[in-house]
């Protein structure tokens, strides 16, 4: 909401003054007592005060300076691109709201205020003052932000000025009073049990009296009623019953809508999950296509053969290495070299023996004998060496065969690797593992898609989504009609209507009874008609009370449940959103000196001080300027939390007076950024703020024209 202009006529000090504002930041400058507070109060009065208010305090406030003239506030504003003009005459209790584009005008004060509630992001002046209207004095007074949070919680949840805890306590007490004695005997039964017992007794008495009456009276009773009064009461009863029935339809439709919204969220999550998994599956197929050779059905057989060939090649290399070492041993000489030298020595020994026999003696003939023996032995050895040479030839042949076999294995292994475009066996195994991993991932994704879909298809989910949306639309059109929505009542209003209906029915019964009684012969004491009528009245009254008590019990139970949910939602919502929004602006405003805050269960605020390396209470531990900075951001965060997508005008009353130059620059930058999304009216008496935005000088305004 952006306020374009406001005109005050006989509103406190202003007899006839107009002020124009622009979007973004507006700086409203005026001396003390120039009327800044009056303009703020006029804005609040235009938005929230009912022109039919009977508050003498309010009238004393606005007519303080000119009690004889009519007090009027005119305000032009824009909301969601549409321009409006609001006129409130607090003296005549009249109000009009005109759509400047269509020319449509509302003049009923009720309809005007309802329209303002729809257009205004903030629904009550209590919330507005706690969030969108920030005064320097207010920040100083808020020693604990829990006070502010409690006020907001109370306004949002009950609107009665009482906290949720107080209302819950009263409701639980009321619930206990209603159900006492229903589940187990009680000395003092509760409302419902007492009514049930009394109703049973009354019905028994009524049955007896009615039978006696029917036996003793054969005359028909004429029904003469006050037709006009009864007709008026019946019309009222019909209207109230229709309102109550519409409330039941509304509750049922809202329950169905809640269930439908839950189903829609679930289906949307499934659709998004399936789309994501489908993308992942496509990516897996793309990656798997890079290893298409490894999708061959012979992959495992080829892998096993490659492993065997590698083992065979390694074994043959080892065998070749061993055979080569055997060939290279020193005693592996050729047979001729091993035999020739011993034979020569043996022949020389024999010759020498013969010479010695001739020359020396028989003694030396022994030498000849030894030489002969040695010759015989050497000849025998030559046969063994000849045999060893044959084995060496066999080893050479075996080496050749092994090398041929190894080459064949290497060729077979290379063929396998070429088949899978792998330069070596290690690369082959790496690619095989990668392909298997991607294939497993693809299978997992497809299984997960199947798990999400179950027996349905993606198109089935989309069709179901359309079907549920259609059902939702049908409920909106057929059940949530304007009449039904207009009949929405709070629990308190509903109970009030029930009580009013009961009173009307009692009144109608009373009139009917009086008409019947007028037809009864006064002397016929035996008929005892008065007792019968009293019993019927008592039964009806008791039955109505019992129905009302049971309905009240349902309402109380539902209200307790709703309030508990609201309490939990408010607590979590306030803490989470406040922390997020404060931490968006706090570092920038404090030049990164303070970045983090935290809230306890009572929304007590603490900031993390880098200087002290600890969490501290801003009011007690930080300078006034720093504390004001933190609480300004805190109040701004609360405003963002309660207003939703629409943006309320932010009214600031001299809240930067404690800021030094650096803080002022940081605050100016923050306001400029915030002004991009909402209108800001900064009220001040200090001319140093003139360049912060559009200047509105109220001192120069002629207040008497």
């Amino acid at each position: 909401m952006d306020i374009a202009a406001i005109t005050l006529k006989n509103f406190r000090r202003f007899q006839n003054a107009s002020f124009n504002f622009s979007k973004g930041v507006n700086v409203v400058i005026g001396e003390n007592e120039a009327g800044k507070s009056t303009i703020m109060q006029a804005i609040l009065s235009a938005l929230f005060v009912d022109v039919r208010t009977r508050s003498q305090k309010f009238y004393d406030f606005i007519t303080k300076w000119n009690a004889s003239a009519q007090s009027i506030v005119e305000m032009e504003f824009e909301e969601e691109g549409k321009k409006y003009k609001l006129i409130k005459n607090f003296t005549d209790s009249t109000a009009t709201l005109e759509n400047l584009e269509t020319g449509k005008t509302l003049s009923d004060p009720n309809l005007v205020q309802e329209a303002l509630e729809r257009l205004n992001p903030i629904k009550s002046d209590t919330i507005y003052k706690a969030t969108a209207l920030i005064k320097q004095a207010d920040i100083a007074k808020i020693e604990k932000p829990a006070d502010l949070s409690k006020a907001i919680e109370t306004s949002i949840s009950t609107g009665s000025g009482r906290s949720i805890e107080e209302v819950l306590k009263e409701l639980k007490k009321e619930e206990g009073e209603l159900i006492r004695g229903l589940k187990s005997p009680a000395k003092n039964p509760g409302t419902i049990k007492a009514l049930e017992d009394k109703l049973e007794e009354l019905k028994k008495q009524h049955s007896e009296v009615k039978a006696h009456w029917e036996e003793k009276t054969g005359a028909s009773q004429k029904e003469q009623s006050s037709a006009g009064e009864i007709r008026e009461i019946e019309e009222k009863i019909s209207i109230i019953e229709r309102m109550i029935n519409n409330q039941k339809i509304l509750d049922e439709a809202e329950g169905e809508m809640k269930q439908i919204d839950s189903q829609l969220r679930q289906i949307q999550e499934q659709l998004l999950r399936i789309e994501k998994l489908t993308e992942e599956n496509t990516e897996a197929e793309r990656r798997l296509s890079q290893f298409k050779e490894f999708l061959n059905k012979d992959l495992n057989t080829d892998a096993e053969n490659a492993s065997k060939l590698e083992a065979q090649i390694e074994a043959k290399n080892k065998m070749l290495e061993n055979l080569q070492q055997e060939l290279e041993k020193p005693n592996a000489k050729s047979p001729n070299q091993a035999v020739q030298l011993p034979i020569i020595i043996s022949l020389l020994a024999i010759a020498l023996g013969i010479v010695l026999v001739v020359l020396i003696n028989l003694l030396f003939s022994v030498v000849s004998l030894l030489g002969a023996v040695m010759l015989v032995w050497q000849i025998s050895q030559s046969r063994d060496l000849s045999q060893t040479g044959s084995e060496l030839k066999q080893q050479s042949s075996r080496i050749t065969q092994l090398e041929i076999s190894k080459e064949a294995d290497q060729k077979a292994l290379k063929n396998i690797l070429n088949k899978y475009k792998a330069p070596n066996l290690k690369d082959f195994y790496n690619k095989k593992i990668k392909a298997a991993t991607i294939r497993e991932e693809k299978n997992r994704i497809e299984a997960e898609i199947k798990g999400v879909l179950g027996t349905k298809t993606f198109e089935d989910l989309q069709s179901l989504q359309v079907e549920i949306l259609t059902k939702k639309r049908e409920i909106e059109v057929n059940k949530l009609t304007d009449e039904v929505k207009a009949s929405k009542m709070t629990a308190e209003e509903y109970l009030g209507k029930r009580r009013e209906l009961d009173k009307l029915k009692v009144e109608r019964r009373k009139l009917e009874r009086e008409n019947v009684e007028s037809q009864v012969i006064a002397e016929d004491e035996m008929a005892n008609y008065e007792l019968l009528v009293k019993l019927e009245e008592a039964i009806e009254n008791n039955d109505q009370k019992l129905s009302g008590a049971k309905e009240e019990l349902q309402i109380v139970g539902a209200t307790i449940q709703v309030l508990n949910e609201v309490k939990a939602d408010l607590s979590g919502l306030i803490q989470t959103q406040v922390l997020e929004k404060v931490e968006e602006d706090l570092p920038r405003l404090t030049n990164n000196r303070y970045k983090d805050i935290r809230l306890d269960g009572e929304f007590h605020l603490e900031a993390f001080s880098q200087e002290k390396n600890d969490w501290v209470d801003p009011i007690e531990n930080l300078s006034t300027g720093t504390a004001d900075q933190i609480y300004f951001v805190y109040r701004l965060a609360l405003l963002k939390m309660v207003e939703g997508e629409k943006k309320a005008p932010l009214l600031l009353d001299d809240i930067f007076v404690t800021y030094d130059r650096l803080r002022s620059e940081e605050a100016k930058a923050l306001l400029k950024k915030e002004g991009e999304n909402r209108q800001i009216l900064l009220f001040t008496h200090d001319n140093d703020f003139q360049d912060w935005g559009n200047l509105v000088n109220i001192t120069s305004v002629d207040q008497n024209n």
Side-chain angles (χ1 to χ4, degrees):
M1 175 181 286
D2 294 323
I3 302 172
I6 188 167
T7 298
L8 311 183
K9 296 179 180 179
N10 303 311
F11 195 94
R12 286 184 65 80
R13 68 176 294 119
F14 295 110
Q15 292 185 19
N16 190 351
S18 297
F19 305 95
N20 297 318
F21 307 106
S22 64
K23 294 184 178 182
V25 181
N26 295 265
V27 181
V28 184
I29 292 184
E31 298 295 334
N32 292 332
E33 300 301 326
K36 299 188 296 296
S37 298
T38 300
I39 296 174
M40 285 188 282
Q41 182 59 46
I43 292 173
L44 292 178
S45 300
L47 292 175
F48 299 108
V49 176
D50 190 330
V51 293
R52 297 164 299 178
T53 180
R54 293 295 177 262
S55 171
Q56 190 59 45
K57 182 179 179 181
F58 174 75
Y59 283 110
D60 289 344
F61 175 81
I62 66 174
T63 60
K64 182 177 179 181
W65 292 41
N66 192 342
S68 62
Q70 292 188 337
S71 297
I72 300 173
V73 175
E74 299 179 4
M75 187 171 77
E76 294 184 15
F77 63 92
E78 181 178 341
E79 175 60 29
E80 294 184 338
K82 298 179 181 179
K83 297 181 179 180
Y84 301 87
K85 183 174 183 178
L86 171 68
I87 302 176
K88 283 191 174 183
N89 188 323
F90 294 100
T91 305
D92 288 348
S93 300
T94 60
T96 60
L97 179 63
E98 179 185 0
N99 186 323
L100 296 178
E101 296 180 358
T102 64
K104 182 179 179 181
T105 302
L106 300 176
S107 56
D108 185 317
N110 280 333
L111 297 178
V112 169
Q113 207 58 39
E114 290 175 2
L116 287 174
E117 289 181 6
R118 291 193 299 271
L119 294 170
N120 191 355
I122 300 179
K123 306 306 178 186
S124 73
D125 61 340
T126 302
I127 299 298
Y128 204 99
K129 292 174 183 178
T131 55
L133 174 58
I134 307 177
K135 299 182 179 181
Q136 170 60 29
D138 289 341
I139 291 182
K141 289 178 183 177
I142 299 176
E143 297 180 358
K144 294 181 180 290
D147 298 336
L148 179 61
S149 299
K150 184 176 180 181
I152 294 175
E153 176 187 319
T154 301
S155 297
I156 293 175
S157 59
T158 65
S160 61
R162 295 180 296 169
S163 68
I164 293 178
E165 287 294 341
E166 292 170 340
V167 176
L168 280 172
K169 185 176 180 180
E170 293 179 9
L171 288 173
K172 288 179 181 178
K173 182 179 179 181
E174 183 177 351
E175 183 182 42
E177 186 66 29
L178 287 168
I179 65 175
R180 189 171 63 249
L182 289 178
K183 294 183 179 180
S184 59
K187 184 177 181 180
N188 297 313
T191 304
I192 294 177
K193 179 60 178 174
L195 288 170
E196 288 177 344
D197 293 344
K198 186 177 180 180
L199 181 62
E200 184 178 355
E201 181 182 352
L202 288 171
K203 285 182 176 179
K204 183 178 179 181
Q205 293 179 12
H206 178 267
S207 178
E208 294 174 355
V209 173
K210 184 178 181 181
H212 185 70
W213 170 262
E214 289 176 350
E215 289 176 358
K216 292 190 176 186
T217 175
S220 62
Q221 301 176 352
K222 292 184 179 180
E223 183 179 346
Q224 296 179 354
S225 61
S226 301
E229 291 183 41
I230 292 177
R231 190 161 44 249
E232 182 180 348
I233 290 175
E234 287 179 342
E235 288 176 358
K236 292 180 180 179
I237 289 174
S238 177
I239 292 172
I240 294 175
E241 286 179 339
R242 187 172 183 84
M243 291 177 65
I244 291 174
N245 185 58
N246 284 339
Q247 180 65 35
K248 292 179 180 179
I249 294 173
L250 179 63
D251 292 340
E252 178 185 348
E254 288 179 344
E256 292 178 1
M257 291 291 281
K258 185 177 181 180
Q259 183 178 4
I260 286 174
D261 288 339
S262 176
Q263 292 175 341
L264 286 174
R265 285 194 300 272
Q266 183 179 359
I267 292 174
Q268 185 63 26
E269 290 172 359
Q270 289 177 321
L271 291 174
L272 292 175
R273 182 60 182 157
I274 292 170
E275 289 177 355
K276 182 179 179 183
L277 289 172
T278 302
E279 292 176 0
E280 293 177 359
N281 193 38
T282 302
E283 174 62 17
E285 288 179 350
R286 185 194 66 77
R287 292 166 54 201
L288 192 60
S289 66
Q290 299 175 0
F291 301 93
K292 58 185 178 180
E293 296 84 3
F294 288 84
L295 302 179
N296 193 315
K297 65 180 181 179
D298 298 329
L299 174 63
N300 291 332
T301 302
D302 289 340
E304 183 179 353
N305 291 337
S307 179
K308 289 180 180 179
L309 288 170
E310 181 187 29
Q312 290 175 188
I313 292 171
E314 184 177 352
K316 289 174 182 179
N317 282 333
K318 188 67 177 176
M319 292 173 63
L320 287 171
E321 182 181 349
N322 292 337
L323 289 173
Q324 195 65 37
Q325 288 177 355
E326 288 292 332
L327 287 176
E328 293 175 357
K329 286 183 179 179
N331 59 350
K333 296 180 182 180
S334 65
N336 292 332
Q337 292 176 342
V339 174
Q340 286 177 356
L341 183 59
I343 292 174
I344 294 171
I345 294 173
S346 298
L347 292 173
L348 290 175
I350 293 171
L352 181 60
I354 295 172
V355 173
L356 290 175
V357 168
V358 176
L359 296 178
I360 302 176
N361 204 331
L362 182 59
L363 178 62
F364 293 100
S365 63
V366 177
V367 176
S368 300
L369 182 57
L370 290 174
V373 172
M374 186 174 180
L375 178 61
V376 172
W377 177 81
Q378 189 59 45
I379 293 171
S380 175
Q381 286 295 107
S382 65
R383 292 196 195 99
D384 293 339
L385 289 174
S386 175
Q387 185 177 357
T388 300
S390 174
E391 290 178 355
L392 291 174
K393 290 179 181 179
Q394 290 177 359
Q395 288 180 346
S396 297
S397 174
R398 189 176 180 188
I399 288 172
T400 301
Q401 292 175 355
L402 284 173
E403 288 178 343
I404 293 171
S405 176
K406 184 181 79 171
E407 289 177 0
D409 289 345
Q410 289 175 335
K411 183 176 180 181
L413 178 59
K414 185 175 181 181
N415 289 337
I416 292 174
L417 294 178
N418 288 340
K419 180 179 180 181
Y420 294 94
K421 298 181 181 179
N424 51 57
L425 198 58
K426 180 179 179 181
D427 184 69
F428 169 79
Y429 285 127
N430 286 339
K431 290 182 177 179
K432 179 177 180 292
I433 291 172
K434 289 180 180 178
T437 302
I438 296 171
R439 186 162 54 246
E440 289 176 1
E441 180 182 358
K442 186 175 183 300
N443 292 337
R444 177 192 62 77
I445 294 171
E446 291 174 347
E448 187 171 352
I449 292 175
K450 186 176 180 181
V452 174
L453 287 173
T455 58
K456 299 182 179 65
T457 65
F458 186 81
E459 291 73 18
D460 291 339
L461 285 179
Q462 289 179 321
S463 298
L464 181 58
Q465 185 182 41
V466 172
E467 179 182 339
I468 295 175
L469 286 171
T470 303
K471 183 178 179 182
K472 180 177 181 180
R473 180 57 183 167
E474 289 176 353
I475 293 173
E476 291 174 343
V477 173
N478 299 328
K479 291 187 177 182
L480 293 176
T481 62
D482 292 339
E483 179 187 353
V484 170
K485 289 189 285 188
S487 300
K488 183 175 180 63
M489 294 180 283
T490 64
E492 185 176 352
E493 291 171 340
Y494 182 83
L495 289 175
K497 290 297 180 183
R498 287 295 311 177
R499 295 189 184 101
E500 184 180 353
L501 181 62
D502 292 341
K503 289 179 180 178
L504 288 171
K505 287 183 176 180
V506 170
E507 183 65 21
R508 181 181 65 181
R509 187 61 182 171
K510 180 181 177 181
L511 291 172
E512 292 173 349
R513 186 193 71 219
E514 290 174 353
N515 289 331
V516 171
E517 286 176 348
S518 66
Q519 302 299 318
V520 178
I521 300 175
E523 296 79 10
D524 190 7
E525 296 179 358
M526 294 298 295
N528 205 0
Y529 179 76
E530 183 178 353
L531 177 58
L532 180 62
V533 173
K534 287 182 178 179
L535 284 173
E536 289 178 350
E537 181 181 0
I539 289 173
E540 183 173 352
N541 290 340
N542 199 84
D543 192 42
Q544 290 175 353
K545 290 179 181 178
L546 180 59
S547 298
K550 289 181 178 179
E551 289 184 6
E552 183 178 357
L553 177 61
Q554 293 178 348
I555 293 170
V556 168
T559 305
I560 290 174
Q561 181 180 356
V562 169
L563 286 179
N564 281 322
E565 292 174 357
V566 168
K567 180 182 176 183
D569 291 344
L570 280 176
S571 177
L573 184 64
I574 291 174
Q575 289 200 36
T576 301
Q577 293 193 3
V578 165
L579 288 174
E580 290 177 353
K581 295 182 184 302
V582 169
E583 290 175 359
E584 286 179 7
D585 298 325
L586 186 60
R588 181 169 59 254
L589 184 60
T590 61
N591 197 21
N592 286 320
R593 294 191 303 274
Y594 298 93
K595 300 179 180 178
D596 301 314
I597 70 163
R598 67 180 182 186
L599 302 173
D600 60 17
E602 298 179 354
F603 299 98
H604 175 85
L605 182 146
E606 290 184 327
F608 186 80
S609 171
Q610 297 179 3
E611 179 181 350
K612 297 183 179 181
N613 194 30
D614 196 7
W615 295 95
V616 298
D617 186 319
I619 295 295
E620 297 177 359
N621 296 275
L622 303 180
S623 67
T624 302
T626 300
D628 285 354
Q629 285 179 310
I630 293 174
Y631 280 111
F632 170 60
V633 175
Y634 180 48
R635 294 280 289 273
L636 187 60
L638 289 172
L639 171 60
K640 293 178 180 178
M641 184 197 70
V642 300
E643 66 185 355
E645 295 181 359
K646 296 181 179 180
K647 301 300 178 184
L650 178 60
L651 310 183
L652 306 176
D653 186 9
D654 253 343
I655 67 168
F656 303 120
V657 294
T658 63
Y659 287 21
D660 55 22
R661 184 189 59 78
L662 180 58
R663 288 192 179 102
S664 294
E665 291 299 323
E666 293 166 348
K668 179 180 179 182
L670 178 59
L671 284 190
K672 181 178 180 182
K673 180 178 181 297
E674 188 65 25
E676 295 175 358
N677 298 314
R678 76 166 73 249
Q679 186 182 51
I680 300 173
L681 305 183
L682 172 60
F683 294 86
T684 181
H685 68 280
D686 194 338
N687 290 325
D688 290 342
F689 294 95
Q690 290 188 28
D691 63 343
W692 281 38
N694 174 52
L695 182 62
V696 180
N697 193 332
I698 65 174
T699 305
S700 63
V701 173
D702 187 350
Q703 302 178 3
N704 300 316
N705 290 334

